[in-house]
Structure formats: C-alpha cells, structure tokens
Amino acid sequence: MGAVVKVKGDIRRAPNFGGALAKGLTAVLFVASACLPGLGGAYSRTVTSAQPGVGFFTPEGSHAELVSKTQFGMVNVHSPDELAANLRMAKGTPFKVNVDFGPVIARPSDKSIIKTTYRDLAGVLRTKAFAPLSQTKLRQFPVNDQLKTLLAPYFDVLKRYAPNVGIVFLADEPYLNGIPKSEMERVGVVARHELDVRGLKSVKLGVIFASGMFDSDFATMIDRQAGEYAKRIDDYYRTGQAPAQWVETMRTSRLSTYDSAGNMYTGGGIPKGFDVVGFDFYLSTMLLDGLHQDTLSWFAAHYPGAGCDRFANQTMTQIHSKLSFFDHRSMQPGTQDADRALLDAIYECRMQATTTMLQRDLPQGRPLQLLMISESSNNGVLEFYSDGSPKQKQPSLLVEARVLDEVHRAEKFFTAHRSSYTAGLMFFTYQNTYDKTISLNIGGASGMPSVMRSIFDFSAAAAPGHGSNPSDQTKGRNAGSAGIAY
C-alpha cells in the first residue's frame, strides 16, 4: 500500500510500486490461448496448455494446504535451497510451482543510468530537483555470463523437480520498473537456452506487466502521472518554504515514484521468447495508487465498448467520494449495496478494457496463453479516511465481506472466459502481512474463512477432470456475499 505523503501542505495518497502488497494487487495475468501467425526461429515453440485450475501467489513460499487443495502456486525465490523446499513440497503431486526469479537477477538500477528528467501531464519536459536514490524500484539485468552463473544453481534445482515446474518469470512488472523490451528479450534468450540444455523445454517463460504497461499509449499516460507527482514535489521544494525535515526525507527516503518518473519503459510491445503474458491490476492498485487517478476515465475515452462509460471525466478522487468506506458512511443502510454495484463496475471496466488492449497488442504468429490473477487480500477494501490512509480499527466481518465480493467477481469472470484463460486463475495473497509503512496488519485470504471456503470450492470444481462446472459455484453471488453478515 502507498504511504501517505505531505506535499505542499496537503496529505496525498502516494503511488506505491513493489513490495509484496504492490505486486500488482487485482492482477490479471493474461496468456492468450489463441495461436497467432508470425515470428519463427528460436521463438517458434509449441506451447501446450498451462496448468488449469486455481492457485495462489505466495511470495514467501508454498503451503501444504494449498498443494492439496489447489492446482498450482507461484513463489519468489532467494536461494536454491528455498526453491528446492518449495518444489519438494509438491513432489509426487500434480501441483505446479511457478517461480519468479526477479529477486535473483533483476538488480536495482545503477544511479548513473537513472534519468533526472521527466514529462508532466501537459507534456512539458522538466528536470528533477533531487538526485536519484541509491535504492529504487528501477531494475536492470546483469550481462549474459553473470546471468548464466546466477541462474545455474536454481535451474539445476528445477531439473531435479521437473514434473512440478510450471512457469518461470524473470522480472516483476519490467516496463514499470524501467526494464525495456529489448532487455527482456535478451534475458529471455539466455533463460530459454539454460532451461533447454537441462531438458526443461516444456517449462514456459512468463512476463507480468503492471496494469496496461505493455501498451505504449497507456504506459505514456502512467509515466506522465508519475511526472505530475514529481512536479508537485519539485514545485513545492522550489518555493523555498518546505520544512527541513521534509527536504531531508525527499533527499534520503522518498517514495520510488519520484525516481520512476521519466524512467519507465513506454515503448510498449510483448517481448519475443515468452509463452505467458500477463498483467496485474488489483482493486487496491486502482483505488489507492495515485498513478491511476485518471485511468478509468482514460479507459472510457479509449475503449468505449469496455463498460467504462460511467467513468468518463471522473477522477479516482471523485469515485472515492461514492464509496462508503472512504467517507465514514459504511454503517449506513444501503451503502453496502451501492458499494458493491460500483465495485462491480470498476472490476468490469478495468478487466474488459485491459483485456481488449492486450488482445489488440498481442503479436501475430505466437502461441501465447492467458492466466488470470485476482485479489484476495483486504488492503483495498479497508475503512479509509478521505485522504486514503487506513484507519487503525477495522470492522473485520464487513471487510471480509468486501473481499469475498471481489473473489466472487474473479470467479464469475474466470468462468465466463475460461476458454481463454487456459492457464487458470491465481489469487493474491494467501498469508496475513504486516505493512511497516503504515503500521497496519493486512489480511490475506487465510485469515478469512468465507474467502478460503469460496476459493477452495471453486478450485475443486475447476480442477481437471472434475465433473461439475465452475459456474455452479458462482450462481446467486451477484446478490451479495453469502455467510457474511453486514
């Protein structure tokens, strides 16, 4: 979740990139099931259907309960032993483990390559008042020989547990974090070769984009939103009225959005050599990340058939005023129904628009697959003050009901589009997490019984060879969240 930053006397919700809670949070990974013409040579591989069914992204590792009750999972790794432990848990089962190697090979960008210019919403080129921090969310890859050395012990582990290996990811949200398409392609070639020489030709390479960053026009809009954020900071600093403590914070420990402005890759395009293409676009990202202040309105203007018309010319700040949990009104009669209807519309808009955008941008001639990811944590549906900062005391059952609604939206969408989402449906997150930036406990699905029951029931129905239709699990859910009292 984003921190709360005071800029020019106002409390503003700041964008948040990264960390476990910002890994997209209602992410929808897309892997286009259609085989499209084009691009032969090393990139013309036969890609079979990815693992079907339901899974969780659990950054810190797999859980035995999930191995027995879902079909796949995704983990981050930091050591070969950690990777082996995750795969060993799945050994002898059909469970597949998807692995994000970003923590191993996507290193913080050197300050010397971080640009200090950016464009604001008006397109005006500006120079930053503060030099780049030594640690940012911007990432770069090492040279090929170092890549091979870094990946070798991990890929050797993959070889030992080959039946349980699913998809390999090389960097999280690369374009948002400054990694260009050409670099993804370079590293993809190295990873593909290292997998193949170990007999892991069936292991797929995947890439996950932040929201619609695969599209050049969308990426430019987001980069300029970051530029507008940087402009507010620079303008305030240049008034000469900023308190010394504020200036010191900006110099040493500011949010990464400032450094990211002007450094995102905005060229767009799907990198060659990857089998799974996805995007993460969580409800919490949409509601709380300042970069998406105008996103729904942008969708309404650019994708008129995606169900976004009601959001034309509306900012996210204006939409906040219509949600009871941003405005001390959540206990008033009728507010839950109104919230649900609005959140339904937000889900439909961002999912349909970003899907349409991705399908338009998919390269011809490449067999790609779609994997859907959605949010199962509570940090986007807590009770907030009007500035977007969460309250310390939360109505747990009411918050759980909102999470269950979001899970039901995902189940319904997946059921309606299952023929496209052949790689399955993945939820984030499973565990409870403590966010130090806001001193708040964030509830994962594991702490919400109704949410876990819904996901496990849906997983059982969606499992390969199961006789029932997942749609049976979603009937009657539009009216509300069964089993939770408001």
Side-chain angles (χ1 to χ4, degrees), residues 20-21 23 25 54-75 86 89 95 282 373-379 400 403 407 425-434 441-456 459:
L21 295 177
K23 176 162 178 41
L25 285 132
V54 176
F56 273 94
F57 172 47
T58 53
E60 70 297 330
S62 299
H63 290 255
E65 179 183 37
L66 300 183
V67 172
S68 64
K69 294 184 178 181
T70 60
Q71 289 76 51
F72 68 94
M74 179 173 174
V75 300
N86 280 291
M89 190 177 297
F95 189 87
Y282 301 103
I373 308 176
S374 202
E375 192 164 23
S376 58
S377 61
N378 67 15
N379 60 312
E400 181 175 341
V403 176
V407 166
L425 168 63
M426 184 163 71
F427 287 99
F428 177 81
T429 180
Y430 175 70
Q431 294 90 346
N432 294 335
T433 304
Y434 182 73
N441 289 307
I442 303 301
S446 63
M448 294 177 278
S450 67
V451 173
M452 290 307 305
R453 185 165 56 248
S454 181
I455 293 174
F456 284 159
S459 173

Side-chain angles (χ1 to χ4, degrees), residues 213-431:
M213 291 296 291
F214 51 81
D215 181 85
S216 181
D217 291 339
F218 184 93
T220 297
M221 182 267 293
I222 293 297
D223 186 53
R224 291 189 179 182
Q225 287 283 1
E228 194 69 14
Y229 171 78
K231 173 188 171 184
R232 290 198 301 267
I233 290 176
D234 289 342
D235 287 351
Y236 181 45
Y237 171 71
R238 286 167 177 148
T239 65
Q241 300 177 6
Q245 185 177 0
W246 181 91
V247 173
E248 181 62 18
T249 298
M250 291 299 107
R251 290 190 192 281
T252 61
S253 57
R254 59 180 178 260
L255 288 174
S256 60
T257 307
Y258 184 87
D259 292 302
S260 294
N263 286 285
M264 300 177 191
Y265 176 70
T266 60
I270 308 300
K272 293 181 291 185
F274 289 79
D275 312 306
V276 177
V277 180
F279 68 81
D280 54 42
F281 209 166
Y282 301 103
L283 174 62
S284 51
T285 303
M286 177 61 77
L287 294 180
L288 301 175
D289 191 330
L291 294 182
H292 293 288
Q293 177 70 204
D294 300 318
T295 295
L296 293 181
S297 179
W298 190 90
F299 280 152
H302 290 80
Y303 295 91
C308 301
D309 292 352
R310 66 180 291 177
F311 301 115
N313 302 314
Q314 287 193 53
T315 66
M316 187 50 64
T317 300
Q318 291 171 315
I319 294 170
H320 283 175
S321 69
K322 300 175 183 178
L323 290 167
S324 69
F325 50 93
F326 274 90
D327 195 20
H328 307 281
R329 295 180 291 109
S330 59
M331 300 303 176
Q332 295 179 13
T335 56
Q336 283 76 45
D337 289 340
D339 287 345
R340 186 178 297 112
L342 179 53
L343 293 174
D344 285 348
I346 291 173
Y347 193 94
E348 185 72 11
C349 171
R350 76 176 186 275
M351 288 289 294
Q352 291 290 0
T354 313
T355 300
T356 301
M357 183 163 59
L358 177 59
Q359 290 173 332
R360 186 195 68 183
D361 289 356
L362 285 172
Q364 296 298 305
R366 289 164 61 184
L368 301 172
Q369 298 177 305
L370 286 194
L371 167 69
M372 180 176 161
I373 308 176
S374 202
E375 192 164 23
S376 58
S377 61
N378 67 15
N379 60 312
V381 292
L382 298 171
E383 296 285 315
F384 298 99
Y385 293 107
S386 58
D387 63 10
S389 57
K391 300 177 182 179
Q392 289 299 311
K393 293 183 178 180
Q394 298 288 332
S396 59
L397 289 180
L398 181 54
V399 170
E400 181 175 341
R402 294 179 190 138
V403 176
L404 184 57
D405 281 341
E406 187 72 2
V407 166
H408 286 170
R409 291 180 190 106
E411 293 168 350
K412 180 180 177 181
F413 196 92
F414 178 72
T415 298
H417 299 83
R418 198 183 186 201
S419 62
S420 296
Y421 294 108
T422 56
L425 168 63
M426 184 163 71
F427 287 99
F428 177 81
T429 180
Y430 175 70
Q431 294 90 346

